[in-house]
Structure formats: structure tokens, C-alpha cells
Amino acid sequence: MKIVREQREENNSLLKVTVGEEDYGQAVEKELREYRRKANIPGFRPGMVPMGLVKKMYGKGVLAEQAYRTASNSVFEYLQKENIDYLGDVIPSEEQGDFDFENGKEFEFVFEIGEAPEIKLELSDKDKLTYSKIKVDKKMHDDYRANYLRQYGRLVDADEVTSDEALSVTLDNGEMNVADAYVGLISMSEEERKPFIGKKVGFKTEVNVNELYKNPSQRAAVLQVKENELEGIKPEFTLEITKIRKFAEPELNEEFFKTAFPGGEVKDEAGLDKFIDARIESELRRESDYLFTLQLRDYLVQKAGLKMPEAFLKRWLYTINEGKFSMEDIDKDFDQFLKMFTWNYLQKHFIKQDNITVTKDEALAEAKALAAAQFAQYGMPSAPEDMLAGYAEKILADKDQGQKIYEKLYEVKVVEDVKSKIKVTEKAVSADDFAKLAKAL
């Protein structure tokens, strides 16, 4: 066997592997014996098919497979032995010639690799970035508090529509009468609510339910029919308000605090306000962390200035996707791909250089937090601990979800690692200014 490495463009080379019968012969014979043992050919008992017939039927395909496998394995052994770091994967080269597996005994396989560029990245307090922290304003606090208390509040009768009340109405189009239909203004925009503002019980108006509820499932719910029954229903209805109910916040008494905070961590309204602000800051911190990660990513990618084998990476993407995307498709999104690919490569550098690890317990804690968030979406803000632990194990056991969790935690640790090496200045910004920064990225 002979391996020759030929440099092409920068950080891109070919590996030409020549294999002969002495390299793949034993593997071919072993595979053909296995074919003979399993062959089911009329006129021959199992295992008694003449080897000559087996070779005639399967020999060419087995030779091609084993010769390629031998060459491919030798490439990976060569890369490991020569300590060559490569990107993506080894792929067949476009310079590959034809093979004569009918008559030939020696074959040259040509593979292509993208060589990983060397990272020379010195970081110090001369590297400066700003961490944008969103200021909690009164509107944020009041909105969050209202939404939080809604979980413990109740609906009470109201005399007049003022904002986001819940309406009971009668809908009648002459062919169909729907009594006690529910119209929730909270799910509507301010513009959609306008026709109802200031109205009282007994108010009548003409509505088109297709315009009132553009979503078929919502339309079916208000008309109290199944979605497949919507077709053929005349959408113009007379709507009459029969009841107006509004949300009333719970009384902030001892009973409320025991119910909402059974652990006793909040006991009065002042404590509730501190709790609300802490929750908002926690959620906003995630937004700030995400924005900072994007800023740090772009800064490091630019500072590192790595010369990636772009032409190779495009060919690699085309090859591994097996024709799902054209080269034009790959070209269109390649800049964004290259940025993320380079960022992942830089992360691996810091993980290796600074011995960054993610433990199973850390991954389980993250999976448990994910499970808790999912339960909260379905109306279970305080799922039992054993239930969360069980779901966390299932999440981690799923290959894709588990990998995403580990990747996220590694990224968080890499960002914290880099933050400790550079100068980061925290700056308070308004929600509007933060949105502008995020949009720019």
C-alpha cells in the first residue's frame, strides 16, 4: 500500500492511496466465503455453491467494496499517525479516476481533506466588549405582575368593556344560532378590540367570523363546531353581548402568599415586587447573555482571522447531503454557515486548551429546567420533582436533544471562559435600544 499527499489550494490536500491484492485479498476471500455460506441458489444446497459461481456473481462488487474500505481505513490511520487535524470529513476527490474491477488488481483511490487552520489567538484586557443589560422599567414590572397574578385571580362580572375582558355572546346568522359563545379579547390586538371598547351587555353588532377569527381552530371553537364543519357556514353573524367578565387580581392576603409561595419565601407585597423584578431580570439576563454570545462570536471569528478551506467545505456539504441541496443552495447560505462552523471550531479550541468539561449532573439540571419550562407551558408551573427528573433523563437519552443540551452548556462555559480573559463592561440599556442592537446582529 502506498499513500501520497498532494497539496492543492491552501489548507486543502489530496491523499492518493494505492492498494494491491496483498492489502485487500484476505478481506475479499473472507467476504466471499460468507456469501457462499448464505447463498440460496436453486440447484445447490446451502453452503455448497461452487466458489467459482459465487465469485462470478458477487466477486466484482465485493472487490470494489473491500478495496475501498481498505483504502479508506488507511487514510484515517495515516491522518492519526501524522497528527493531521482536518475539518468536516474525508471525502472522495473529484480527481478520482475510473476503476477496472473486472481485470485490475491494483487500484488508486483519491481522497480530499480540508486541513484545520492553526489558531493563534492571544486574549487580554485589551480586548474589550460591552455586555448590554436591559433595564427593568415600570411597564415591564406592571405587565409581568399582572400576568403572574392572573394565575391566581378570578373572573368577575363587569358593566362595560374596557380592555381585554372575556365576553359571552350570542351569534345568529338566520341559519345558525350559537348561544353563550366565548369571545376573548385578551387574544386580540388593540385594533381588533376597538369595536367592543365601551360597549355594555345587550350591545349588538354585525361581524364576519372569518375576519374576527382568521385561525380555523379558533373559529370552530367560537361557533362550537368541528373544523371540518366550517365549510358552508355563512360567516356574517349578528353578535349580541350577553355577559362581560374581567380578570380580578387576587387579594394579597396571607392566604394568597401561602398558596403562591408555600415555601414562605415571599410574605408581603413588597416581597412580591422584589420577586417580580428578580424574575424579570432573570429572563432578561438570558436575552442579554444570548446577545453577548453573538457579539463575542463575531469578535473572535474576526480576530482569529482563520483561513478556512471554503471550496472544500462547499464540496463537503454537497457530498454529505447526498444531493439534497444544489451548489447554488449551498453558496446562498454559505457565509452564515462558515461563521457558525468557525465559531464551533474556536469553541473546540478553548475546550481543549482550557480543559472545559460538562458533567452529567450539569446536563441533567439543564434538561430538568427544560422539562419544567415545558410543563409550565401546559399549565403546570410546579411539576413534582420526581416527574421532572424522569423527563430530564428521557430528554438526555434522546440523541438529538441530548446533544443540543451538551452543546449549549459547552458554549456557555466557553463564553464565560473567554469573558474571564478579556475586559467586559456592563451597560444598562432600554428595551428599545437592546432590540436595535439585536436587530443589527
Side-chain angles (χ1 to χ4, degrees), residues 136-187:
V136 179
D137 57 33
K138 186 177 185 304
K139 186 177 186 306
M140 278 187 204
H141 177 91
D142 291 347
D143 288 348
Y144 196 100
R145 174 177 162 138
N147 285 329
Y148 182 79
L149 292 178
R150 193 177 290 273
Q151 301 173 58
Y152 304 95
R154 66 194 189 283
L155 287 172
V156 297
D157 290 341
D159 297 327
E160 182 180 302
V161 178
T162 59
S163 59
D164 60 358
E165 284 80 0
L167 309 181
S168 292
V169 304
T170 296
L171 293 169
D172 192 330
N173 67 358
E175 299 173 359
M176 179 179 188
N177 184 284
V178 184
D180 202 27
Y182 170 77
V183 175
L185 300 185
I186 192 171
S187 63

Side-chain angles (χ1 to χ4, degrees), residues 153-311:
R154 66 194 189 283
L155 287 172
V156 297
D157 290 341
D159 297 327
E160 182 180 302
V161 178
T162 59
S163 59
D164 60 358
E165 284 80 0
L167 309 181
S168 292
V169 304
T170 296
L171 293 169
D172 192 330
N173 67 358
E175 299 173 359
M176 179 179 188
N177 184 284
V178 184
D180 202 27
Y182 170 77
V183 175
L185 300 185
I186 192 171
S187 63
M188 297 183 181
S189 66
E190 286 188 25
E191 190 64 30
E192 290 170 327
R193 294 175 192 167
K194 274 185 181 179
F196 300 99
I197 302 299
K199 303 303 185 287
K200 298 182 178 183
V201 171
F203 168 74
K204 290 184 179 181
T205 187
E206 302 302 315
V207 298
N208 184 314
V209 291
N210 291 349
E211 295 175 1
L212 189 67
Y213 286 110
K214 294 180 174 60
N215 186 303
S217 62
Q218 291 178 314
R219 196 155 62 244
V222 78
L223 293 177
Q224 300 172 17
V225 298
K226 296 178 181 177
E227 275 191 59
N228 60 8
E229 296 173 339
L230 287 172
E231 191 174 350
I233 293 178
K234 190 170 67 174
E236 291 82 10
F237 282 82
T238 297
L239 177 151
E240 179 182 0
I241 298 177
T242 57
K243 186 181 288 187
I244 303 170
R245 291 181 296 171
K246 68 177 181 179
F247 167 76
E249 290 187 355
E251 187 179 344
L252 300 183
N253 53 24
E254 184 179 353
E255 182 184 353
F256 163 77
F257 288 109
K258 282 184 177 179
T259 302
F261 304 98
E265 61 272 29
V266 177
K267 297 179 180 178
D268 53 30
E269 190 168 355
L272 175 65
D273 286 333
K274 288 182 181 178
F275 168 81
I276 294 296
D277 284 342
R279 288 282 290 267
I280 296 172
E281 287 178 358
S282 175
E283 293 187 13
L284 294 180
R285 173 69 65 173
R286 287 198 290 271
E287 297 293 322
S288 294
D289 286 346
Y290 179 66
L291 180 65
F292 182 78
T293 297
L294 297 183
Q295 291 171 321
L296 181 66
R297 176 199 69 189
D298 290 356
Y299 179 80
L300 291 177
V301 167
Q302 185 175 5
K303 181 179 174 71
L306 301 179
K307 183 66 177 176
M308 290 290 188
E310 296 185 18

Side-chain angles (χ1 to χ4, degrees), residues 2-212:
K2 182 174 71 172
I3 300 179
V4 177
R5 182 181 176 192
E6 294 183 5
Q7 197 71 34
R8 286 296 187 264
E9 57 214 49
E10 188 176 358
N11 286 343
N12 180 214
S13 57
L14 299 184
L15 293 174
K16 296 185 175 182
V17 185
T18 304
V19 295
E21 195 171 16
E22 67 278 7
D23 302 308
Y24 59 75
Q26 288 186 0
V28 169
E29 288 299 320
K30 180 180 178 182
E31 189 70 10
L32 287 174
R33 286 197 298 271
E34 187 66 15
Y35 268 87
R36 184 187 184 207
R37 186 179 69 82
K38 295 179 179 179
N40 185 9
I41 299 175
F44 299 96
R45 286 180 295 167
M48 301 302 292
V49 180
M51 182 57 82
L53 181 57
V54 172
K55 286 183 178 181
K56 185 176 181 180
M57 295 177 67
Y58 305 111
K60 187 177 175 180
V62 170
L63 172 59
E65 180 185 353
Q66 294 302 325
Y68 177 82
R69 183 176 297 174
T70 301
S72 178
N73 290 341
S74 69
V75 165
F76 289 105
E77 291 170 3
Y78 172 84
L79 292 171
Q80 186 174 15
K81 180 182 176 182
E82 298 296 321
N83 198 27
I84 299 171
D85 194 9
Y86 59 95
L87 300 171
D89 206 347
V90 177
I91 61 173
S93 170
E94 293 177 332
E95 296 185 25
Q96 177 67 66
D98 295 329
F99 299 101
D100 182 5
F101 291 115
E102 194 73 54
N103 305 300
K105 293 183 182 295
E106 188 174 88
F107 311 101
E108 182 184 70
F109 293 88
V110 186
F111 299 94
E112 183 179 5
I113 61 168
E115 298 153 13
E118 184 181 0
I119 297 175
K120 296 179 180 178
L121 199 56
E122 298 294 331
L123 297 174
S124 69
D125 57 7
K126 292 180 181 179
D127 297 288
K128 301 175 182 179
L129 284 176
T130 300
Y131 181 95
S132 299
K133 181 180 178 182
I134 307 171
K135 290 183 286 191
V136 179
D137 57 33
K138 186 177 185 304
K139 186 177 186 306
M140 278 187 204
H141 177 91
D142 291 347
D143 288 348
Y144 196 100
R145 174 177 162 138
N147 285 329
Y148 182 79
L149 292 178
R150 193 177 290 273
Q151 301 173 58
Y152 304 95
R154 66 194 189 283
L155 287 172
V156 297
D157 290 341
D159 297 327
E160 182 180 302
V161 178
T162 59
S163 59
D164 60 358
E165 284 80 0
L167 309 181
S168 292
V169 304
T170 296
L171 293 169
D172 192 330
N173 67 358
E175 299 173 359
M176 179 179 188
N177 184 284
V178 184
D180 202 27
Y182 170 77
V183 175
L185 300 185
I186 192 171
S187 63
M188 297 183 181
S189 66
E190 286 188 25
E191 190 64 30
E192 290 170 327
R193 294 175 192 167
K194 274 185 181 179
F196 300 99
I197 302 299
K199 303 303 185 287
K200 298 182 178 183
V201 171
F203 168 74
K204 290 184 179 181
T205 187
E206 302 302 315
V207 298
N208 184 314
V209 291
N210 291 349
E211 295 175 1
L212 189 67

Side-chain angles (χ1 to χ4, degrees), residues 359-372 392 396 405 409:
T359 66
K360 174 73 178 295
D361 286 344
E362 289 170 329
L364 276 172
E366 180 67 22
K368 193 181 292 185
L370 179 62
L396 275 190
I405 284 175
L409 291 175

